[in-house]
């Protein structure tokens, strides 16, 4: 379908950059630790043995491909628009992620010249954290408390903008990923 190479370009799954960092830190309070190492057993049971864990993920945005609506090819199919200017804007935001004036509908019965995946959508920054404490009953039996936060800093991770040209919302973003959520959990390990 289309001129040779017309449908070649970046995959929608392509992410230029992916970074994942994770770690666990045992807080230095309680018996055998730097602070409160000679704490009373009750104090140690409350303040000792807490672990803080985190997972940070950054993924760059997905490649965006534009559509010129209206079945301009005359065969019931849409085509891509012509790129006639610079798509990049100085400060991409939800109100304007790219320059919609840089794209124009091609003449009837012609293919547009814009490529596949020529600009990236918003990236994703997520920090998930947990605070965990094991309350030991015996050496191999314990009650575990967990407090977990997903998207802990409550960072707004924008979804992709509208990539259909010629409409009032071209280049705008109207949705985002999940806001911060928390959960508490308790389990008995034996």
């Amino acid at each position: 379908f289309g001129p040779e190479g017309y449908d070649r370009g970046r995959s929608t799954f392509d992410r230029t950059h992916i970074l994942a960092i994770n770690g666990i830190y045992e807080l230095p309070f309680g018996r055998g630790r730097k602070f409160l190492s000679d704490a009373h057993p009750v104090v140690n049971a409350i303040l000792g043995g807490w672990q803080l864990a985190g997972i940070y993920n950054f993924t760059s945005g997905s490649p965006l491909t534009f559509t010129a609506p209206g079945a301009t090819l005359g065969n019931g199919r849409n085509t891509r628009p012509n790129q006639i200017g610079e798509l990049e804007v100085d400060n991409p935001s939800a109100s304007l992620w790219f320059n919609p004036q840089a794209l124009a509908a091609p003449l009837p019965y012609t293919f547009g010249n814009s490529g596949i995946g020529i600009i990236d959508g918003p990236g994703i920054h997520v920090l998930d954290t947990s605070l965990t404490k094991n309350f030991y009953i015996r050496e191999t039996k314990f009650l575990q408390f967990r407090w977990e936060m997903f998207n802990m800093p409550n960072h707004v991770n924008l979804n992709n903008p509208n990539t259909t040209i010629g409409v009032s919302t071209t280049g705008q973003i109207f949705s985002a990923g999940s806001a911060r959520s928390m959960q508490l959990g308790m389990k008995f390990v034996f």
Side-chain angles (χ1 to χ4, degrees):
F1 172 73
E4 185 176 339
Y6 187 73
D7 288 325
R8 289 189 184 158
R10 293 172 58 200
S11 166
T12 56
F13 301 113
D14 179 34
R15 300 298 184 271
T16 306
H17 305 287
I18 297 174
L19 172 67
I21 301 172
N22 62 66
I24 299 174
Y25 178 68
E26 190 166 310
L27 298 177
F29 302 102
R31 294 218 170 168
R33 294 173 183 89
K34 185 173 182 178
F35 301 105
L36 303 173
S37 60
D38 57 350
H40 186 275
V42 173
V43 173
N44 184 61
I46 296 169
L47 298 179
W50 287 92
Q51 288 184 336
L52 183 63
I55 300 173
Y56 171 73
N57 283 301
F58 166 74
T59 306
S60 58
S62 61
L64 302 177
T65 301
F66 302 94
T67 303
T72 59
L73 294 175
N75 61 0
R77 298 186 73 170
N78 294 335
T79 186
R80 293 194 300 271
N82 286 326
Q83 184 174 347
I84 58 171
E86 179 60 43
L87 282 169
E88 305 279 339
V89 294
D90 288 336
N91 296 304
S93 66
S95 60
L96 189 65
W97 191 257
F98 60 85
N99 176 13
Q101 304 305 315
L103 300 163
L107 294 172
Y109 312 109
T110 62
F111 290 89
N113 69 9
S114 65
I116 292 177
I118 57 176
I119 190 172
D120 288 341
I124 298 169
H125 296 269
V126 176
L127 175 62
D128 299 332
T129 60
S130 72
L131 184 62
T132 307
K133 165 85 168 126
N134 293 334
F135 297 93
Y136 285 91
I137 297 165
R138 292 200 174 125
E139 191 172 330
T140 59
K141 296 179 178 157
F142 58 91
L143 192 63
Q144 184 180 74
F145 167 78
R146 300 179 72 84
W147 177 27
E148 298 166 326
M149 285 192 278
F150 305 97
N151 190 11
M152 188 270 293
N154 206 24
H155 180 78
V156 177
N157 290 297
L158 298 172
N159 290 332
N160 284 332
N162 181 356
T163 56
T164 301
I165 69 158
V167 295
S168 62
T169 59
T170 302
Q172 297 178 18
I173 301 173
F174 296 97
S175 62
S178 300
R180 178 191 310 122
S181 64
M182 293 186 268
Q183 66 184 20
L184 297 172
M186 182 91 61
K187 71 178 176 180
F188 181 63
V189 178
F190 57 95

